[in-house]
Amino acid sequence: MDENKQKPKFSKRFDLLFFKRFLKLIKLMFPSWMSVQCLMCVFLLCLGLLEQFVIYNIGQIPSKYYLVFGNGDSDGFKDLTVKALLLIIAEAFIKSSSKYVSSMLYITWRGSVTTTVHQEYFTDILYYDINTQGRIDNPDQRITQDVDKLSSTFSQIFSPIILSPFIIGYYTYHCFKTTGYLGPVGVLVFFLVSTIINKLLMSPVVTLVFKRERREGDFRGGAIELSKTDKHLQKLLIVQRKQVLREYALNFAVSLFDYIGSILSYNSFMIMYLVHSFTTLIDLAVQVATMAGTAHRVGELLEELGYLKSERRTTYNFVETWLQDNDVQEMISFTDMNVLPDRNGQVSDAAESHDYTSGERVISVDNVKYGPPKSGQILCKNLTFHMQLGVNVLITGESGSGKSSLLRVLCGLWPTITGTVSHHIPLGTQGVFYLPQKPYFTDGSLRQQIIYPLNELDSHYSVLDEATSQVGINAEDKLYRLCQELGITVLSVGHRKSLRQYHEMELHLDGKGGWSFQPIRDLGDLDVKNR
């Protein structure tokens, strides 16, 4: 079975599924061995190793001061003080540089992961599917807040996690040389016991981090009514209390093992720093739990997008090239139609000479049955017709008969129950433009607001859902005539009889599953012939 076809699993624990999801995210964070991210990580690790060298030398300073004071060596005191200051300055420089590189890594990782998610999110209008038919909560919050927290946390713990094994190995070797096997073995047993306990305490925290992020999204995106918003807030606070309680136990264990580690130091710098290296890993438990919870949420998002993409590709038949169809037997004759003249009362050459029977198809609808997704309601059945360039189509019917729903099906927003919808011209700026009833305002100039989501007015075919219902008859006339002048073919939904003069074909829905598709010959009442 195709991996993208599999439904995402909803595990929220620190388990094997987490590592699988995290490895996929790692591939996004490190696109290649010579990528900027990899080079920055190598530099960060070099800074970490240099810091260990400086820390080692700083750790030797106190014992040397004892010798200087014991011998009353004033010159030695001055030299040692200068050395100590230089080492401290070097340590401060290394720490600030490491923090800067970590911050840049965080920004770079957030950018690369978010860009990849955006590419999936805005492919085949999956953003619509995942928000209306998807099975995961708050996709927008996962893209913004969860990716941000994942990138930030991982940038903070990356260097310690990578360097700790090498540091532990180095100091274990020196401890063995100075204390024998008892010292390093005791520290190792201490670390293993603490790790097992922390692992048991981390999994519940990961789950609660996942749930808390979900409640954060629900609270942020909940209904504006006071009662509903307060309900979301109470659910969020309940999860937060549970998370704080779980983190209390985890923090208790971390602090306990930190102090036990200090007892094991035996006043030896080697043992002390070995214990410090182990406790550094233990102290990362809370951050790792946070990272795991957000990684699950981002991983689920990518899996759900992959699943919905495969579902969409099997549901819709998108034909990305222009097709010519000579099968005129299925086509309705357009020989006796009204052709809209321009402002000067002249019929354009393109409209007059266009061969509508063999013209370029825009969308083909074949034996389609449709209704609202997951509702079981049937709005229309056995619907079959073709839309062509140069032939304006008017969709009529009573309120609730399925007119706007049909537009959602034609534009790929809703799946069909049966039958196929084939697009011979792609949706988007170079093909079919969909204008919904409710306008959407984005950032940019007034012109960009008006033509959104297009960058330029270059569409061949426009789908208009009661686009002129809020303007007068004169404004409506100007808009439809302008569409003709620009060579834009329209599919309109509307109730006004005045719209009939701007269209050549009428698709009527009776609201009971029946329909008719026939030429508009006059401005009289519609003669409905149900099928």
Side-chain angles (χ1 to χ4, degrees), residues 300-369:
E300 274 188 3
L301 174 63
L302 289 171
E303 291 169 7
E304 181 72 4
L305 288 171
Y307 175 74
L308 290 174
K309 180 191 291 186
S310 63
E311 285 288 294
R312 174 168 285 277
R313 292 292 171 85
T314 57
T315 302
Y316 297 102
N317 178 23
F318 288 95
V319 183
E320 299 295 340
T321 58
W322 292 62
L323 301 179
Q324 300 289 336
D325 196 325
N326 297 320
D327 187 8
V328 299
Q329 294 180 352
E330 295 183 3
M331 299 296 295
I332 297 176
S333 174
F334 302 121
T335 55
D336 189 16
M337 298 187 303
N338 297 325
V339 178
L340 184 66
D342 60 21
R343 292 180 177 179
N344 298 321
Q346 302 295 322
V347 177
S348 65
D349 293 338
E352 192 172 39
S353 62
H354 195 96
D355 185 358
Y356 293 117
T357 302
S358 60
E360 298 88 349
R361 287 189 183 183
V362 179
I363 300 176
S364 298
V365 179
D366 184 23
N367 199 31
V368 164
K369 179 193 298 184

Side-chain angles (χ1 to χ4, degrees), residues 260-461:
I260 292 176
S262 65
I263 298 174
L264 296 176
S265 65
Y266 305 115
N267 295 320
S268 165
F269 175 75
M270 296 296 180
I271 291 289
M272 180 182 67
Y273 207 76
L274 177 60
V275 172
H276 170 74
S277 300
F278 276 119
T279 54
T280 297
L281 286 178
I282 296 172
D283 291 343
L284 295 176
V286 176
Q287 289 176 291
V288 171
T290 299
M291 184 191 70
T294 52
H296 271 304
R297 291 179 61 78
V298 178
E300 274 188 3
L301 174 63
L302 289 171
E303 291 169 7
E304 181 72 4
L305 288 171
Y307 175 74
L308 290 174
K309 180 191 291 186
S310 63
E311 285 288 294
R312 174 168 285 277
R313 292 292 171 85
T314 57
T315 302
Y316 297 102
N317 178 23
F318 288 95
V319 183
E320 299 295 340
T321 58
W322 292 62
L323 301 179
Q324 300 289 336
D325 196 325
N326 297 320
D327 187 8
V328 299
Q329 294 180 352
E330 295 183 3
M331 299 296 295
I332 297 176
S333 174
F334 302 121
T335 55
D336 189 16
M337 298 187 303
N338 297 325
V339 178
L340 184 66
D342 60 21
R343 292 180 177 179
N344 298 321
Q346 302 295 322
V347 177
S348 65
D349 293 338
E352 192 172 39
S353 62
H354 195 96
D355 185 358
Y356 293 117
T357 302
S358 60
E360 298 88 349
R361 287 189 183 183
V362 179
I363 300 176
S364 298
V365 179
D366 184 23
N367 199 31
V368 164
K369 179 193 298 184
Y370 70 88
K374 302 180 180 179
S375 71
Q377 179 184 5
I378 304 299
L379 294 174
C380 189
K381 55 187 177 181
N382 303 325
L383 181 60
T384 300
F385 70 98
H386 306 294
M387 293 183 290
Q388 295 176 267
L389 283 179
V391 181
N392 293 344
V393 177
L394 176 65
I395 302 178
T396 61
E398 299 297 326
S399 297
S401 61
K403 301 185 299 298
S404 296
S405 299
L406 175 58
L407 300 191
R408 298 187 185 103
V409 173
L410 296 179
C411 293
L413 297 178
W414 284 7
T416 61
I417 299 174
T418 60
T420 59
V421 176
S422 299
H423 291 251
H424 307 287
I425 298 177
L427 297 174
T429 59
Q430 300 298 322
V432 179
F433 169 63
Y434 175 54
L435 183 64
Q437 282 181 294
K438 296 182 180 179
Y440 173 77
F441 291 98
T442 181
D443 56 354
S445 66
L446 176 61
R447 182 177 186 276
Q448 291 172 324
Q449 300 284 356
I450 294 173
I451 67 174
Y452 178 85
L454 304 180
N455 292 320
E456 298 294 337
L457 290 174
D458 57 356
S459 283
H460 308 287
Y461 203 100

Side-chain angles (χ1 to χ4, degrees), residues 3 16 25 37 82-83 127 171 210 301 305 329 349 362 368 382 392 394 405 424 437 465 470 489 497-498 523:
E3 183 178 354
L16 181 61
L25 294 174
Q37 296 92 319
V82 172
K83 180 181 179 180
Y127 58 87
Y171 283 103
F210 185 100
L301 174 63
L305 288 171
Q329 294 180 352
D349 293 338
V362 179
V368 164
N382 303 325
N392 293 344
L394 176 65
S405 299
H424 307 287
Q437 282 181 294
D465 191 357
Q470 301 299 317
T489 306
K497 290 185 177 180
S498 59
L523 298 180

Side-chain angles (χ1 to χ4, degrees), residues 52-113:
Q52 296 305 314
F53 173 78
V54 173
I55 289 175
Y56 176 82
N57 283 276
I58 291 177
Q60 305 300 317
I61 295 294
S63 60
K64 292 180 180 180
Y65 266 116
Y66 285 123
L67 293 175
V68 169
F69 289 142
N71 296 329
D73 185 359
S74 59
D75 292 335
F77 172 78
K78 293 178 182 179
D79 293 340
L80 187 58
T81 301
V82 172
K83 180 181 179 180
L85 288 174
L86 291 175
L87 288 171
I88 291 172
I89 292 172
E91 172 63 10
F93 173 76
I94 293 171
K95 272 191 172 297
S96 59
S97 298
S98 297
K99 187 171 181 60
Y100 172 77
V101 175
S102 295
S103 298
M104 294 302 296
L105 262 178
Y106 146 65
I107 295 172
T108 306
W109 281 339
R110 184 185 185 187
S112 58
V113 174

Side-chain angles (χ1 to χ4, degrees), residues 38-53:
C38 279
L39 296 177
M40 291 173 68
C41 285
V42 171
F43 182 56
L44 185 62
L45 294 177
C46 291
L47 288 174
L49 291 174
L50 182 59
E51 182 180 21
Q52 296 305 314
F53 173 78

